[in-house]
Amino acid sequence: MADSSPPKTLNFNVGVLGHVDSGKTSLARALSSTASTAAFDKNPQSKERGITLDLGFSAFTVPLPEHLKESCGEKQYDSLQFTLVDCPGHASLIRTIIGGAQIIDLMMLVVDVVKGMQTQTAECLLIGQLTCSRMIVILNKTDLLPTDKRQAAIDKMTKRMHKTLENTRFKGCPIIAVAAKPGGPEAPETDEPHGITELINLLKAQAFLPHRDPSGSLLMAVDHCFSIRGQGTVITGTVLQGSLSVNDTVEIPALKVTRKVKSVQMFRKPVSSAMQGDRVGVCVTQFDPKLLERGVVCTPGSLQTIYAAVISVQKIEYYRGALASRAKFHITVGHETVMARISFFNRALPDNENRDCSPTCQEQNAKSFSFDWEFHHLDEYLTGQAEGGRGEPQQWALLEFERPVTCPPLCLVIGSRLDSDIHGSACRLAFHGKLLEGFEDKNYTETALPRLKISKDKEKEGAVERVTDDYTVIGRNLFKKETNLQLFVGLKVTLSTGETGSIEGGFGQSGKIKIRIPEGLKDETKQLLSSSSKKKGKGGAKNESSKSEETKPDAQPVTIHLNFKRYIYDPHKKMVQS
């Protein structure tokens, strides 16, 4: 009996990244049209299937390659669909790639063969390293090279690219030369692209069975939205995580509404459900499509809208600027890019504990964070080797967003300076990390931040003005006149002569303090203090004082040292001493 089940298509997502004029869109168009007309699929609709180049998504289908038939095992697929995610313009590139990080299976890095690596190419490579495990480099525009020197130039650039990729996760990845649109964008369509069939064969060889997980809550990236009269509103996009089925209820967090799923289509065919990695069209009960051009749809209540967040943080090594606390960066998180103020901190560990952190340990730490830990405020991100020399010390950051953002927990976060010159040669991606804690309360500064034990070390120095008795001295210059001295009562101080004491309270109105020395002052300290007060001409005749000045070198004042720490977010501003 023949198997009457409908043919099944395996979807494989390919991110197309590259510098703004490297020919990404021409390449996507050439791949789609070559594949559609190359008799892979006799279906008359194949030419138009899924080619929505204006939205940056296009697709083409090929018969399932032999090596995939084996790895698919039980899951029988008939064909392999490549969905090309053409990432337009740079700011949206970051959003698109991070948003789709979970589902880009392979990345094509498009390089202009004449210009080679440019700043944005390097930024695309960095994003690829954070989000993707496999890559193909495409040297495009080979038609611009003089025919007689073409192969030599391609070989030279191939060699250069292999050298560039040597210290990245893409070391040794395939590099292929093509001319996606010979003669440039204005050239007639009759000029056949070069190398595209070879590229399709390479893509087929590089394709693998992607890991897809239907469990967990739904998150779908929406890239288009329109109404169908009498049916509802259709949202098209990619399922980033989880799955959805007909009759499910989904939430549109941007509009704070829920809607029922009426039907689902994949590759223009009705299906009852879809899962992570699938490109789908979902018809839901009516809402105004103009309100949701791009964005996300999710399981109701699964996304948090946050005003601030704690993230693990790692500097991107090519970023030249300093990462200073209180500075503002563009933060790309979930499907949004928003400005945020950043504050860096690291763990306050006892001196005998190891502070350095290898990349593996950083990866483990990136997933861990506890409000029970003690942290130190950092004025800026610590770069360079940690003690022990095994990589940078593990660091975290508090992000305070200029407007609330909606995102899934533990999502990737990238900080960048998108306001710097797009044509400049400086890398604009500054750091990356994982979102560990999000604060959903608008008043997070009062409700959540006090739980964050980040301290700043403080040091104050003053001088002993005089001795009142063997156990008490009066100190000056430790505090300003207007300081509330009550906050400091009971704190320990050390004299430069070695005695320790504690602050008993204020003395007079000018910020002076009374210090109690429980063990009593040493004789030499009393001598030192009495000679320095004599020197001020408190007692004795003129000639006596000049005599003492002749025989005695300048007496050093006795200084008072107060060390404490203050928790930045403690509403009571308490001082703490270890």
Side-chain angles (χ1 to χ4, degrees), residues 435-465:
L435 191 140
L436 304 175
E437 289 283 342
F439 303 128
E440 297 183 70
D441 187 345
K442 196 173 184 173
N443 302 317
Y444 66 90
T445 47
E446 285 101 58
T447 57
L449 293 191
R451 293 176 61 204
L452 204 48
K453 291 187 278 206
I454 303 176
S455 63
K456 264 186 183 176
D457 289 335
K458 300 278 189 178
E459 204 173 299
K460 288 183 178 289
E461 190 180 300
V464 174
E465 185 174 82

Side-chain angles (χ1 to χ4, degrees), residues 238-548:
T238 308
V239 181
L240 301 180
Q241 67 180 46
S243 58
L244 89 158
S245 303
V246 174
N247 293 328
D248 280 358
T249 298
V250 295
E251 181 184 355
I252 305 164
L255 311 183
K256 298 190 169 42
V257 296
T258 55
R259 288 290 183 266
K260 190 175 174 181
V261 175
K262 296 172 76 175
S263 64
V264 182
Q265 279 199 3
M266 241 192 304
F267 320 130
R268 307 190 181 223
K269 295 189 180 75
V271 291
S272 58
S273 64
M275 63 182 269
Q276 184 187 48
D278 288 332
R279 284 275 306 153
V280 287
V282 181
C283 183
V284 299
T285 42
Q286 193 74 47
F287 69 88
D288 182 356
K290 290 194 192 72
L291 299 175
L292 184 76
E293 188 48 41
R294 299 270 165 125
V296 288
V297 166
C298 63
T299 300
S302 64
L303 289 190
Q304 35 176 196
T305 295
I306 56 176
Y307 292 84
V310 169
I311 64 165
S312 64
V313 67
Q314 227 178 318
K315 184 173 180 174
I316 287 172
E317 59 178 317
Y318 304 104
Y319 182 73
R320 292 282 163 259
L323 298 182
S325 282
R326 311 300 298 152
K328 286 187 174 181
F329 285 88
H330 289 92
I331 304 297
T332 303
V333 53
H335 248 59
E336 298 185 64
T337 296
V338 59
M339 289 297 279
R341 189 185 297 285
I342 191 163
S343 304
F344 296 97
F345 55 95
N346 68 352
R347 198 93 188 256
L349 292 174
D351 292 337
N352 58 354
E353 269 193 57
N354 209 349
R355 292 166 187 277
D356 62 329
C357 200
S358 65
T360 333
C361 133
Q362 286 196 5
E363 230 154 84
Q364 290 161 353
N365 280 350
K367 299 181 183 75
S368 63
F369 166 83
S370 169
F371 282 108
D372 298 336
W373 293 345
E374 291 273 335
F375 299 103
H376 264 315
H377 167 80
L378 299 172
D379 288 328
E380 61 177 59
Y381 181 90
L382 299 176
T383 51
Q385 298 286 296
E387 297 158 44
R390 287 208 316 274
E392 294 175 345
Q394 173 62 21
Q395 291 161 77
W396 291 266
L398 171 71
L399 296 176
E400 299 184 74
F401 300 114
E402 287 195 344
R403 60 174 173 78
V405 290
T406 300
C407 57
L410 283 176
C411 62
L412 175 66
V413 177
I414 290 187
S416 46
R417 274 273 160 80
L418 297 179
D419 45 356
S420 43
D421 180 14
I422 193 164
H423 302 295
S425 60
C427 172
R428 295 173 304 159
L429 305 181
F431 58 86
H432 65 93
K434 271 255 183 346
L435 191 140
L436 304 175
E437 289 283 342
F439 303 128
E440 297 183 70
D441 187 345
K442 196 173 184 173
N443 302 317
Y444 66 90
T445 47
E446 285 101 58
T447 57
L449 293 191
R451 293 176 61 204
L452 204 48
K453 291 187 278 206
I454 303 176
S455 63
K456 264 186 183 176
D457 289 335
K458 300 278 189 178
E459 204 173 299
K460 288 183 178 289
E461 190 180 300
V464 174
E465 185 174 82
R466 60 191 169 88
V467 180
T468 52
D469 59 45
D470 286 358
Y471 297 93
T472 316
V473 295
I474 302 300
R476 60 183 158 84
N477 298 347
L478 205 60
F479 300 107
K480 293 191 175 85
K481 195 176 169 180
E482 61 275 13
T483 306
N484 175 6
L485 296 178
Q486 279 314 109
L487 294 171
F488 296 90
V489 169
L491 291 190
K492 304 243 180 314
V493 294
T494 311
L495 303 188
S496 53
T497 45
E499 295 92 332
T500 54
S502 61
I503 298 173
E504 279 203 329
F507 181 81
Q509 297 301 307
S510 55
K512 290 179 185 176
I513 48 164
K514 198 174 184 181
I515 295 167
R516 176 91 180 144
I517 314 284
E519 305 285 311
L521 291 164
K522 297 178 196 166
D523 290 341
E524 52 267 40
T525 308
K526 287 189 278 192
Q527 215 173 339
L528 195 59
L529 287 165
S530 66
S531 68
S532 69
S533 60
K534 267 190 202 136
K535 198 179 155 205
K536 285 183 187 159
K538 285 286 179 209
K542 249 187 195 171
N543 62 351
E544 262 182 277
S545 83
S546 62
K547 199 153 106 191
S548 75

